Amino acid sequence: MSQPQINAGSDRLILLIKGAYWVALLIIAAMATASFIMLQQMMASQQRDQSLLILANTQKALSQRVVFLASTVNSAARDQQPALVKALREATTEFEQNYDLLLERTGASATSEARLDPNTIESVLFAKPYHLDFFSTGLAANGWRFISAFESQLGMGGGVVQYKLDTGRASLDETVASATLAGYSALGDRIEAFANQRLTSLLDLHRMLYYAIIGVIIMVALFIFQPMSNMIRRRTLELVDARNSMAFIAVHDGLTGLHNRTFLTDHFDALIKGAHRRSERLAVVQLDLDRFKQINDTLGHAAGDYVLVVTAQRMRDACRASDLCARLGGDEFVMLLNGAGTTEDINMVARRILDRINDPIVYQGKLINPGASAGIAVYPVDADNAEDLIVHADLALYSAKKLGGGGVSFFSEELRRELEHRRELESDLKQAIADESFNVFFQPQISMSKNSITGIEALVRWKHPERGMVSPGEFIPAAEKSGLMVAIGRIVITKAIGAAAEWHRDGIDFGRLAVNVSGAELREIDFDAFLFETLEKAGLPADKLSLEIVESVILDDEQTGIAAKLRHIRSAGVHLELDDFGTGYASLSHVNPNEIDRLKIDRRFVQNIDANGDNSKIVRAITELARGLGISIIAEGAETDEELKSLLSVGCDQVQGYSIAFPMPDETAREWMIARGAKKPKLTVLQGNRA
């Protein structure tokens, strides 16, 4: 499943959980709001019922007070009667008002069908056996008549005659009072029963709503919060794992699991301080696989990776827990041996490790013999700091490889002198680059059958101000190792194209200018732009230039993408040549006429070709292969007349070598080409010193 699909699924899950979360919150909020409203209604109903009960009880008391005051007025002395009549008026007024308020709050109606139901308030007010409405209105009416009668007798009406009859007609007996009292008692019981019933219903509903809220919360916890918690927990664990993985990758090699260069750099000084504190020796063993490039080229990078993993595991198995194993990059490994002991002890440990690493490895049924070499530097004998120890171990490793590989070499004074020489050489190279003091020599290439010039190769030369001419075999490896080859290559290309452009403008026929280009130069992002810009500035047509590359450059394309850059350059008209053909590990699939214009046969197959039948067969096979593919071919290193004749006999017409001409400076090469173009001399072998 792709990463976008995983992200989309994760986004949908998060959106679903968020939606469910908000829905659950809305449901809980709605239910909580309903519960609150019900509680409010319950409290309001309770207050209303309580007020009705208070009103009914007040009416009970007022009914008895009205009857009591009426009875007291009759038996009281005349001077006391006015006060009693006034109190009776107040009680009757309140009784009457309360009854009206009671009817209003209960909403009872004499015409309602509810009066026929014995369990309703209406039945108490308007039906048998209580007829509370009748007795209440009757009690109030008799009370007002009684009050009016006594006020008339006592002259309390302010001179206005209010009641003509005697007080007997307005009497209030206990029968009315008892009936009214019984009615209001029944009304209070009925109101209380209704209040309790309503309260019970509301409590039951509120209880159900409460349980529903609890159920929703449980469902939210089970179906929303639990998955959300699980997802958060899973994502947290993923983040923790990612953090741990990043922390591991930061100090470990991703392929082999060994510590990487960063960890080694951070901890090397601490190990040196520990060795110093304990007065022990610390051995730095730098390992390198002798045939790793061959494994990659012939079996593929997967096989190379497998060899690296197995080698790393064998290193771990061979070293102690206190030792440190690290991979610097590629097939370079380092082991730091704490408490290393004597030189003999270190030698024995290193050889034991090499013997273990050099055991054959089986990969997909194929037996691989990786081979390994080791270089050793010892603290404090060879150096007292991490940087110098690594450099000295690397020099010792290089020395072991020069001796044929598969062995162990210790850093020595001789290597120290070589290191100093290399450092001086690198310093001089940097100065030479700054001064652009590299010169370009040219060696012609000819067609033997046509006796014409087919090309001329540009070769770098460096004259040191003190040491004189420095051999390319000495300074080019140093430049490649120190990363200076790119700068040197650009100086050579610029000067060579400049010289060829002058020849072209002067009408000198030189065929094509051949310039060697390294993989490091081609890996530069702007190499093609630099090349085209140099051609344009100099005024040299692109088809007058040829780039010579070795087979390893093509093989490295799997990881560098050089082929695409070469196709771009070739599409502009620049020719491509495969140099030193036959010495690398390129398959025939790389010999493609759509990508390569010419093959150059390496000098080791050309030398003594007249006397070596095997070389003759190899050159003939390469020539026939190139001819069949429609690719041009040239042999380099031809030094004798016999070698030239042998090359011509096997079908190789184009040659380059000391038998034709030595590498020459610009002006000498110009004179040579002009002279040869004018006289067309017969082919002869040059005598004299060889460059």
Side-chain angles (χ1 to χ4, degrees):
M1 185 179 293
S2 64
Q3 188 65 30
Q5 290 175 326
I6 294 174
N7 292 338
S10 177
D11 292 342
R12 284 195 297 270
L13 176 61
I14 293 173
L15 184 62
L16 179 63
I17 290 177
K18 284 183 177 179
Y21 173 77
W22 285 110
V23 169
L25 282 182
L26 290 174
I27 293 174
I28 293 174
M31 297 179 74
T33 303
S35 177
F36 174 76
I37 293 172
M38 288 179 61
L39 185 61
Q40 291 292 102
Q41 290 177 348
M42 188 186 303
M43 294 176 64
S45 299
Q46 188 72 9
Q47 290 175 353
R48 185 175 66 251
D49 293 339
Q50 190 67 27
S51 66
L52 287 175
L53 280 173
I54 292 172
L55 198 57
N57 291 330
T58 302
Q59 289 296 86
K60 286 168 59 177
L62 286 173
S63 67
Q64 299 307 303
R65 179 174 176 78
V66 169
V67 174
F68 173 76
L69 287 173
S71 175
T72 303
V73 169
N74 281 327
S75 59
R78 186 175 180 84
D79 59 337
Q80 295 177 343
Q81 285 181 337
L84 293 172
V85 170
K86 183 178 179 182
L88 179 60
R89 170 182 283 276
E90 292 175 354
T92 303
T93 301
E94 185 179 358
F95 178 81
E96 194 173 37
Q97 290 175 349
N98 284 349
Y99 185 69
D100 291 339
L101 184 60
L102 184 65
L103 290 177
E104 180 184 348
R105 289 185 179 179
T106 58
S109 173
T111 60
S112 173
E113 295 293 333
R115 72 184 188 281
L116 303 177
D117 186 354
N119 297 318
T120 61
I121 292 176
E122 283 82 353
S123 69
V124 175
L125 292 172
F126 308 114
K128 295 179 180 180
Y130 301 107
H131 290 287
L132 182 59
D133 179 69
F134 171 77
F135 287 110
S136 294
T137 56
L139 179 63
N142 287 337
W144 284 117
R145 284 194 294 271
F146 187 87
I147 292 167
S148 297
F150 270 95
E151 285 180 346
S152 298
Q153 288 182 7
L154 298 173
M156 297 173 62
V160 180
V161 178
Q162 298 180 6
Y163 192 70
K164 301 291 185 179
L165 301 177
D166 57 18
T167 58
R169 297 293 183 95
S171 62
L172 293 171
D173 55 22
E174 293 183 1
T175 302
V176 175
S178 298
T180 304
L181 178 62
Y184 276 109
S185 296
L187 180 62
D189 294 340
R190 194 63 49 83
I191 291 173
E192 187 174 6
F194 281 154
N196 291 335
Q197 182 180 358
R198 187 182 298 109
L199 181 61
T200 301
S201 299
L202 286 173
L203 285 174
D204 291 341
L205 186 59
H206 191 270
R207 188 180 298 108
M208 290 177 61
L209 189 59
Y210 171 76
Y211 290 148
I213 292 175
I214 297 300
V216 170
I217 291 174
I218 292 173
M219 291 179 65
V220 168
L222 290 176
F223 298 104
I224 296 179
F225 290 109
Q226 185 177 7
M228 185 183 298
S229 300
N230 291 337
M231 185 184 72
I232 292 173
R233 180 176 176 273
R234 186 171 62 253
R235 292 297 171 86
T236 302
L237 292 175
E238 290 175 357
L239 287 174
V240 171
D241 291 341
R243 183 196 64 187
N244 293 338
S245 297
M246 290 175 65
F248 181 85
I249 292 172
V251 295
H252 288 81
D253 175 58
L255 177 64
T256 63
L258 295 179
H259 289 297
N260 58 15
R261 185 187 293 271
T262 301
F263 183 88
L264 180 67
T265 302
D266 293 342
H267 290 75
F268 207 149
D269 289 335
L271 292 174
I272 290 176
K273 291 178 182 177
H276 176 73
R277 188 171 55 253
R278 296 186 300 270
S279 299
E280 294 178 346
R281 300 215 296 178
L282 175 70
V284 181
V285 182
Q286 185 155 343
L287 301 165
D288 185 275
L289 300 181
D290 297 330
R291 289 179 287 277
F292 183 69
K293 181 172 178 57
Q294 180 180 351
I295 294 169
N296 270 339
D297 293 345
T298 57
L299 299 179
H301 288 279
D305 290 345
Y306 181 76
V307 169
L308 293 175
V309 172
V310 172
T311 300
Q313 185 58 48
R314 290 176 176 179
M315 287 176 62
R316 276 191 290 262
D317 295 340
C319 71
R320 302 165 299 176
S322 60
D323 299 332
L324 174 64
C325 298
R327 181 190 177 202
L328 300 182
D331 60 332
E332 295 182 73
F333 299 90
V334 166
M335 295 181 67
L336 302 184
L337 307 180
N338 282 301
T342 65
T343 301
E344 184 59 31
D345 294 334
I346 298 171
N347 185 54
M348 289 177 59
V349 171
R351 290 192 179 279
R352 186 181 73 247
I353 295 171
L354 279 187
D355 290 342
R356 183 73 183 91
I357 293 175
N358 284 329
D359 286 341
I361 298 174
V362 178
Y363 174 76
Q364 295 183 350
K366 297 181 178 65
L367 193 65
I368 301 175
N369 292 299
S373 300
I376 303 173
V378 180
Y379 168 86
V381 178
D382 299 322
D384 59 358
N385 62 84
E387 183 179 358
D388 287 344
L389 284 170
I390 290 292
V391 171
H392 293 172
D394 183 58
L395 281 174
L397 173 62
Y398 182 70
S399 175
K401 283 184 169 294
K402 284 199 301 184
L403 296 175
V408 176
S409 179
F410 282 81
F411 183 73
S412 63
E413 286 301 319
E414 182 181 354
L415 292 177
R416 192 185 301 276
R417 288 190 293 272
E418 289 183 9
L419 174 62
E420 293 300 325
H421 174 71
R422 193 181 76 180
R423 287 176 174 172
E424 292 177 2
L425 184 60
E426 289 178 4
S427 177
D428 292 341
L429 283 172
K430 291 177 182 178
Q431 186 60 46
I433 291 172
D435 298 338
E436 295 188 1
S437 57
F438 294 97
N439 298 315
V440 180
F441 279 38
F442 300 93
Q443 186 174 31
Q445 302 165 342
I446 67 164
S447 167
M448 291 187 287
S449 61
K450 298 178 181 179
N451 200 20
S452 61
I453 301 172
T454 59
I456 188 165
E457 182 178 5
L459 302 169
V460 61
R461 293 293 185 266
W462 177 33
K463 186 176 182 180
H464 191 274
E466 297 177 0
R467 293 196 294 267
M469 294 298 295
V470 182
S471 169
E474 180 181 355
F475 74 82
I476 288 181
E480 291 176 341
K481 194 172 185 64
S482 58
L484 301 175
M485 198 59 222
V486 173
I488 295 174
R490 295 203 173 187
I491 293 173
V492 172
I493 290 174
T494 302
K495 290 187 174 182
I497 289 178
E502 291 289 339
W503 302 337
H504 178 68
R505 282 191 289 271
D506 293 342
I508 299 174
D509 183 12
F510 59 90
R512 290 197 303 261
L513 171 68
V515 181
N516 290 278
V517 181
S518 65
E521 294 174 77
L522 290 171
R523 281 190 288 272
E524 291 293 307
I525 297 176
D526 64 336
F527 176 79
D528 45 355
F530 157 76
L531 185 66
F532 297 147
E533 182 181 356
T534 303
L535 287 170
E536 184 177 358
K537 285 183 178 179
L540 181 68
D543 61 354
K544 302 297 287 183
L545 175 66
S546 179
L547 299 184
E548 291 191 4
I549 57 176
V550 295
E551 297 173 14
S552 59
V553 171
I554 299 177
L555 292 171
D556 286 344
D557 178 60
E558 294 181 22
Q559 296 182 349
T560 60
I562 289 177
K565 187 175 296 184
L566 290 176
R567 282 193 293 270
H568 178 220
I569 292 173
R570 192 167 184 264
S571 66
V574 178
H575 298 269
L576 296 181
E577 299 185 15
L578 195 57
D579 196 11
D580 298 336
F581 185 74
T583 61
Y585 303 100
S587 65
L588 294 179
S589 63
H590 295 103
V591 184
N592 188 337
N594 294 323
E595 298 180 356
I596 299 296
D597 297 291
R598 187 165 69 171
L599 299 179
K600 178 179 281 190
I601 302 175
D602 187 69
R603 65 178 65 250
R604 71 184 66 180
F605 300 116
V606 175
Q607 290 176 352
N608 299 321
I609 188 175
D610 55 310
N612 190 324
D614 292 335
N615 283 356
S616 178
K617 293 176 183 178
I618 292 172
V619 174
R620 184 185 298 275
I622 295 174
T623 302
E624 291 177 356
L625 169 66
R627 185 182 297 113
L629 293 173
I631 299 175
S632 177
I633 193 166
I634 184 173
E636 66 174 342
E639 299 182 354
T640 66
D641 191 32
E642 289 74 14
E643 290 172 353
L644 292 176
K645 292 177 181 178
S646 296
L647 287 171
L648 190 60
S649 67
V650 298
C652 183
D653 178 57
Q654 297 185 49
V655 292
Q656 170 186 349
Y658 296 157
S659 59
I660 306 301
F662 296 109
M664 301 170 282
D666 177 9
E667 290 302 322
T668 306
R670 172 191 288 267
E671 294 172 0
W672 189 93
M673 289 185 290
I674 293 174
R676 189 174 186 88
K679 298 181 180 179
K680 301 286 184 183
K682 181 180 178 181
L683 179 64
T684 58
V685 178
L686 295 177
Q687 302 295 327
N689 295 330
R690 299 170 181 172

